[in-house]
Amino acid sequence: MAASFRSDIQGLRALAVGGVVAYHFGLSGLPGGFAGVDIFFVISGWLITTHLMGEITRTGRLDLWRFYARRARRLLPAALFVILATLGAGYFILAPQEQALYSRGAMYASAYTINLWLLRWSFDYFAADALGNPFIHFWSLSVEEQFYLVWPALLLFAAWLHRGKRMAVVVIGVVGLASFAACLWLTSLSPAWAFYFSPLRAWEFAAGGLATLAPAALWQRRPWLRAAQGWIGLALIVAAYLTLSEDLPFPGWYAVLPVAGTVLVLLSGAGEERDAAASPTGWQVLAPASVLSLPPLQWIGTLSYSLYLWHWPVIVYAGMLAPDLTVFQRLGCAALALVLAFLTYHLIENPARLGGGLMAGARALAPALALTGVGVAVAYANAHLATRNIDPAQRGIEEAAEQPSIARAADKNCLLDFHTVKPKPCTFGPTDAAHTIVLFGDSHADHWSTPLVEAASRNDTKVVTYLKSSCRASRLSTFNTVLKRDYTECDAWREQAIAEIIRRKPRLVVISEFSIGNLTRDMTAAGRKQETARWQAGLRSTLQAFSQAGVETAVIRDTPIGDSFADSCVARALWWREAPSRCDTPRAQAANDGTAAQERAVVKSVPDTLYVDLTDRFCGPTECHVFIGGKLAFRDRHHLATAFAETLEGPLEKALF
């Protein structure tokens, strides 16, 4: 064991990976467990800066080849093994089109650039289910690798400007502040960039790096102060785990909580090794290092890298095989991940780290690139093999899920993005049609555009759409889970759209929107009642605005919401030679019958308003189906597949015309 080994850092690693695993496995009430990744970032900044600054101070230079060889020995073998094993298991679990898609993720993970690949996904409202990607957790490892590439050059630049810690503090501080400022700005403007883009996470590494250069004599001579700041740091980490959630704008200001906590714990333990030879004082016994040095935490900390690699594919694949995992099944998955981590550490990670296969010096570049190339090549080959395994039935599912609605096929901007406020009306049908109807709402109105336009064309009627992603027609201010803030753009767009629609004086306004019942299903009874009352008032306000203007309105009841992405689940069922009905969801869970009754009551209370309920086209008395009449009914969990939506033209025409 290295002389510089610190048991408190090993314990911090255990806390970090424990939070991430608990969050992903749903094993405890730690809604902010994902902040464990931020703890890892700070630890990396601390350790790498310590090693590099020590070498620069001693020699005035850096042996970059030796540095990268150590990183390669530490990270590449275990990562490559898990990637290959995950690809192998995916052949039996994932549908061929999923294998092809996620194999591309494995390619980027092998090259430590998957964070950049995920950025592209994050801007697609109808992107594939990211949480089904068994390689998505490699994003943080990609950020770390990109940090390792840049950080040595930054410290060398500081040393070139002026030898000594002061210039290093200035350079790291400027970079850290710039990164933090940009992160704050983009957390609200473009959360995906703030989350995945490594330059916007650099401030977390910089915080660890600056901490190593802090004048620590003040607290190193005062054990009581060191102990106090350590416990404060642990308290901040615990507070982050207990109070943060995925609905908060993260990283931004909220990431300061785990970052500051980690910095305090690291500084607290910075003087412990100096006092290790002496008899422990009372303050040393009370210091958090004594807790972080407990054997269970040391054991988990030792396995933390391998455990992080394994935990996500284990829980993702388990969730595909058994969608409703019980607590005991999740505990079993955690135990399996630990066993795999233990074996990987002892058979691959540790031997590679201590062996000479990835030797120091420039010669280490060849085997490191070879390992990376193997991962990329195998993932690329796997993607092509999977594509060849897609049979006609599988291809039909894929094409049905990818086919856009008639509105988005004409112009993707007919369904506005989150940021656009000015309405964009799109017109379908002959301009000289005798009548005009307006389709108004969010993406759940958009998926009705396909049968509505066809039905209207048969009745000498043109359709004008006013559509915006995640923006209900009901006058209800909401929180946007992608932007991580109040959706003010929706409120502004809605009022402009209502005013424009009234000026058009259409024959009919057709409204459909994502059911409030889907948003409130996880709330407490009191919270659900309050939000439902707000939604009813908002819906009534919108309908009354049209009614008072002499415009008739029809409200289409929302579609049911399934437990899983229909396209992936049905494709997987076909690959397993099972019936698509395995993907159905109980009606009591999917259809929101209670919310629909409340919606119907609001509609009936407003003059000149019609309620259209086509739920029986999707649901029987007990189940809501995802594969109907040989067609995929939904493209994901709740958006109609366009080919199936076309079959609803007749019922919709009968209801509206």
Side-chain angles (χ1 to χ4, degrees), residues 29-342:
L30 294 180
F34 57 84
V37 169
D38 302 87
I39 297 175
F40 278 126
F41 287 168
V42 178
I43 292 174
S44 292
W46 171 283
L47 292 175
I48 298 304
T49 305
T50 298
H51 294 318
L52 296 179
M53 284 300 297
E55 185 173 348
I56 290 173
T57 301
R58 291 191 308 271
T59 67
R61 55 184 293 276
L62 281 178
D63 186 344
L64 292 178
W65 298 119
R66 181 172 178 270
F67 170 75
Y68 291 129
R70 293 180 63 183
R71 293 297 89 206
R73 286 201 303 270
R74 175 75 176 88
L75 301 174
L76 284 177
L80 177 63
F81 176 70
V82 173
I83 288 172
L84 297 181
T86 303
L87 285 172
Y91 177 83
F92 301 98
I93 298 173
L94 300 170
Q97 51 264 57
E98 290 179 301
Q99 295 174 36
L101 174 64
Y102 297 143
S103 291
R104 290 194 288 274
M107 287 173 53
Y108 286 98
S110 299
Y112 290 100
T113 55
I114 195 172
N115 59 322
L116 304 178
W117 186 62
L118 292 170
L119 271 175
R120 181 177 62 84
W121 270 24
S122 64
F123 295 107
D124 183 358
Y125 183 76
F126 294 99
D129 179 18
L131 295 181
N133 184 343
F135 302 101
I136 194 173
H137 63 311
F138 274 84
W139 76 267
S140 63
L141 302 178
S142 298
V143 169
E144 286 213 28
E145 278 296 297
Q146 291 156 25
F147 161 74
Y148 295 147
L149 288 175
V150 174
W151 206 247
L154 186 72
L155 296 182
L156 281 174
F157 174 70
W160 176 76
L161 290 175
H162 190 275
R163 291 281 296 275
K165 288 186 176 181
R166 289 186 178 181
M167 183 54 66
V169 168
V170 170
V171 171
I172 295 174
V174 168
V175 170
L177 285 175
S179 170
F180 183 58
C183 181
L184 287 180
W185 175 53
L186 284 172
T187 293
S188 59
L189 185 66
S190 185
W193 279 93
F195 193 87
Y196 287 125
F197 195 43
S198 51
L200 302 182
R201 288 299 192 113
W203 67 273
E204 300 184 40
F205 298 94
L210 283 174
T212 68
L213 304 174
L218 173 65
W219 52 84
Q220 285 182 347
R221 296 195 196 100
R222 295 170 173 81
W224 63 270
L225 181 58
R226 198 162 65 227
Q229 75 179 18
W231 286 113
I232 292 172
L234 284 180
L236 291 177
I237 292 173
V238 171
Y241 281 4
L242 294 177
T243 61
L244 298 182
S245 76
E246 60 185 15
D247 291 332
L248 294 174
F250 196 88
W253 283 109
Y254 290 101
V256 173
L257 204 58
V259 169
T262 306
V263 167
L264 288 176
V265 174
L266 290 171
L267 289 173
S268 171
E272 293 294 332
E273 65 271 18
R274 188 191 64 178
D275 302 330
S279 300
T281 66
W283 291 113
Q284 284 177 280
V285 173
L286 293 175
S290 61
V291 174
L292 294 173
S293 300
L294 291 173
L297 291 179
Q298 294 297 295
W299 186 69
I300 296 294
T302 300
L303 302 180
S304 60
Y305 177 57
S306 290
L307 180 56
Y308 182 82
L309 290 174
W310 276 115
H311 85 283
W312 183 245
V314 165
I315 195 63
V316 166
Y317 284 163
M320 291 176 179
L321 296 171
D324 297 314
L325 292 172
T326 66
V327 172
F328 291 107
Q329 287 172 325
R330 291 177 184 275
L331 287 171
C333 289
L336 174 60
L338 269 175
V339 170
L340 292 171
F342 179 84

